[in-house]
Amino acid sequence: MRTQVGIIGSGPSGLLLARLLHLQGIETVILEGRSREYVQGRIRAGVIEQGMANLLREARAGERMDREGLVHEGINIAFDGRLERIDFPTHTNGKVVMVYGQTEITYDLMKAHIDEAGGIAQYESPAIRVEDYHTDSPRILYEQNGEQKELLCDFVAGCDGFHGVARQSIPSDQIKTFQRTYPFGWLGMLSDVPPVRDELVYVNHERGFALCSMRSHTRSRYYIQCTMDDKVENWTDDAFWEELCRRLPPEAAADVTRGPRLEMSITPLHSFVAEPLRFGRLFLAGDAGHIVPPTGAKGLNLAASDIYYLFRALLAYYKEERRDLLERYSEAALRRVWKAVRFSWWYTSLLHKFDDDAMNRRLQISELEYLTSSEAGQTVIAENYVGLPYERFE
Ligand SMILES: Cc1cc2nc3c(=O)[nH]c(=O)nc-3n(C[C@H](O)[C@H](O)[C@H](O)COP(=O)(O)OP(=O)(O)OC[C@H]3O[C@@H](n4cnc5c(N)ncnc54)[C@H](O)[C@@H]3O)c2cc1C
């Protein structure tokens, strides 16, 4: 089989790239290791920056998001028994974020690209490795129904997440990686109950971090910081609600509606960046190239900004026979990646409990007091949270 752009992975980055290219008449084939139902059902991110929302509109897959997504104009930060609000439009010239689940985005992109436009996506077809990416005809070796096959392409987009094979196809002396593992995880619970507040509440508490998030007016996503070796089996629904309420300021805890779990899982927290993101005709995008702790809600949004740059680079190649943007992809994408990695690390450090050191705790509280009471401090949080602008790339 042959295509113009072979895409490994049908997560948000692979689907978005395929959809944008398809609308420009550029052929793609997506190879995905899991079943379509499995990919669609994965519960993950939910906060969308304006840059990503605009890209979904450009992909003509943003209609339901615009109808059902919740526009958020701020976040709340709770610390030392107080609840402070950071207003986005005031500090960012009118910017906001959209709350709309990754599962919904995945569904919308699959429907638009596969069901309506007839785009090719082969599920249960795991890629094994990428070969010949330094030639004009790279190949993806993959497995389907127990048989080994190959997909010949002009370009390969490695959109196959952190554990994918695209990055692993690069010899270790040609790629540099940076990583940090945080000494805790997030225990997350999804429940069909109304959220405690209309906007997200980030909590710094002496017992550990908590986050009150949501997917809709009737579906809440709550998280509490847990130890790295904790297990979902250790938690009943009641124990989760009790611990969450202990960490919230009393007036917010009193408003929590409790209900049974729809899902409960533990997410470890890591920062990881691979450099570069381009190897000849193989490009890494999204979690395949970098991951961030979820505190700043940046993982999914970074996947979208990579696709913004990669899509434009491929378009310039096919429509104008230009190679310059392909050559600049890694540099441009990584500039934005590192800023988000920095923000996610800083925001994680500000809100989590790292140890029992009383001095560290007082310093966190003092920094939060300063940030939430200063216009400059509020701007630092707001402009990073709504997402730093994409560079012009043309
Ligand atoms: C548990 C969890 C919670 C998260 N919560 C948040 C959050 O709250 N906020 C936030 O911003 N981000 C969050 N993230 C991060 C966010 O979900 C990711 O950044 C986003 O999914 C990246 O999209 P992607 O398409 O690059 O990668 P993925 O969504 O990981 O998609 C990669 C795809 O490639 C497929 N694949 C892997 N290997 C192969 C192979 N060999 N062959 C073919 N296909 C393959 C995988 O099955 C998958 O479908 C979370 C991530 C996880 C894991």
Side-chain angles (χ1 to χ4, degrees):
M1 192 166 38
R2 176 160 192 108
T3 190
Q4 289 179 300
V5 182
I7 299 175
I8 313 177
S10 99
S13 48
L15 286 165
L16 186 55
L17 180 64
R19 173 69 179 159
L20 288 163
L21 291 173
H22 184 91
L23 289 174
Q24 296 295 331
I26 300 163
E27 229 179 68
T28 62
V29 170
I30 297 177
L31 297 173
E32 164 61 53
R34 304 287 196 149
S35 71
R36 178 169 168 170
E37 296 67 36
Y38 178 90
V39 175
Q40 220 268 275
R42 267 190 309 227
I43 309 285
R44 287 184 171 180
V47 177
I48 313 298
E49 297 170 355
Q50 266 179 17
M52 176 165 194
N54 289 339
L55 209 54
L56 286 166
R57 292 180 191 118
E58 186 176 340
R60 291 195 229 142
E63 201 185 293
R64 197 162 67 95
M65 170 191 75
D66 282 327
R67 219 176 37 243
E68 296 177 13
L70 310 175
V71 172
H72 279 204
E73 298 194 345
I75 48 169
N76 301 289
I77 304 184
F79 60 97
D80 211 19
R82 298 156 48 176
L83 195 60
E84 301 289 345
R85 181 170 183 275
I86 308 284
D87 188 80
F88 298 151
T90 318
H91 297 98
T92 63
N93 282 329
K95 289 191 182 156
V96 294
V97 294
M98 176 89 84
V99 170
Y100 189 64
Q102 180 168 337
T103 41
E104 308 309 317
I105 293 171
T106 307
Y107 175 88
D108 294 346
L109 283 167
M110 283 176 172
K111 182 163 172 269
H113 180 61
I114 304 166
D115 301 337
E116 292 171 6
I120 303 173
Q122 314 233 347
Y123 286 89
E124 298 178 67
S125 304
I128 302 163
R129 68 181 174 275
V130 182
E131 291 192 340
D132 300 338
Y133 50 85
H134 280 299
T135 72
D136 285 350
S137 194
R139 305 182 291 150
I140 308 171
L141 301 183
Y142 68 102
E143 210 178 283
Q144 200 172 53
N145 301 323
E147 263 181 67
Q148 190 168 313
K149 300 187 172 178
E150 72 175 26
L151 177 64
L152 292 170
C153 327
D154 297 342
F155 297 98
V156 175
C159 299
D160 48 351
F162 182 63
H163 300 288
V165 296
R167 195 181 68 247
Q168 289 165 24
S169 301
I170 313 295
S172 57
D173 60 349
Q174 287 168 35
I175 189 164
K176 191 166 167 56
T177 58
F178 303 82
Q179 46 196 321
R180 173 158 301 176
T181 298
Y182 297 84
F184 38 71
W186 281 14
L187 175 67
M189 187 200 216
L190 188 73
S191 184
D192 269 339
V193 290
V196 63
R197 287 285 179 274
D198 291 341
E199 293 170 339
L200 274 68
V201 184
Y202 286 86
V203 185
N204 172 305
H205 191 272
E206 61 190 0
R207 296 179 67 87
F209 170 81
L211 170 61
C212 308
S213 182
M214 72 278 292
R215 293 293 178 264
S216 69
H217 291 302
T218 55
R219 180 167 288 185
S220 298
R221 181 76 166 153
Y222 290 111
Y223 298 95
I224 52 178
Q225 178 181 343
C226 62
T227 57
M228 281 174 86
D229 55 358
D230 209 343
K231 303 244 173 326
V232 169
E233 302 80 78
N234 297 341
W235 290 85
T236 61
D237 292 359
D238 282 346
F240 182 93
W241 291 117
E242 279 304 311
E243 186 56 34
L244 174 73
C245 288
R246 267 191 216 125
R247 298 184 189 189
L248 291 175
E251 74 270 25
D255 293 340
V256 170
T257 309
R258 303 179 183 207
R261 75 180 77 175
L262 289 175
E263 189 258 6
M264 191 183 266
S265 53
I266 291 182
T267 308
L269 271 65
H270 303 288
S271 299
F272 172 87
V273 183
E275 284 186 355
L277 295 176
R278 170 184 170 240
F279 305 86
R281 286 180 170 241
L282 166 62
F283 297 82
L284 302 180
D287 278 18
H290 41 78
I291 49 173
V292 287
T295 326
K298 292 285 165 254
L300 178 59
N301 291 298
L302 279 183
S305 65
D306 285 358
I307 297 307
Y308 164 88
Y309 293 114
L310 185 53
F311 164 60
R312 277 162 177 71
L314 289 166
L315 196 61
Y317 174 85
Y318 282 110
K319 301 288 176 191
E320 301 168 45
E321 294 179 22
R322 283 172 53 196
R323 290 166 187 261
D324 57 318
L325 295 187
L326 292 169
E327 278 155 22
R328 281 168 43 209
Y329 163 74
S330 176
E331 210 183 292
L334 280 169
R335 259 197 299 276
R336 193 169 188 281
V337 165
W338 273 110
K339 287 178 193 152
V341 169
R342 187 212 64 82
F343 173 68
S344 303
W345 157 79
W346 171 76
Y347 201 47
T348 300
S349 310
L350 183 66
L351 294 170
H352 288 73
K353 178 175 177 169
F354 282 73
D355 51 37
D356 290 319
D357 187 306
M359 175 85 181
N360 285 344
R361 171 135 188 83
R362 294 302 278 263
L363 288 171
Q364 278 186 332
I365 299 297
S366 171
E367 189 171 2
L368 282 162
E369 266 173 3
Y370 163 67
L371 288 164
T372 55
S373 61
S374 136
E375 287 300 316
Q378 292 175 58
T379 303
V380 163
I381 296 176
E383 73 178 1
N384 281 282
Y385 197 91
V386 300
L388 296 172
Y390 294 0
E391 284 175 30
R392 271 175 72 117
F393 198 62
E394 48 194 39

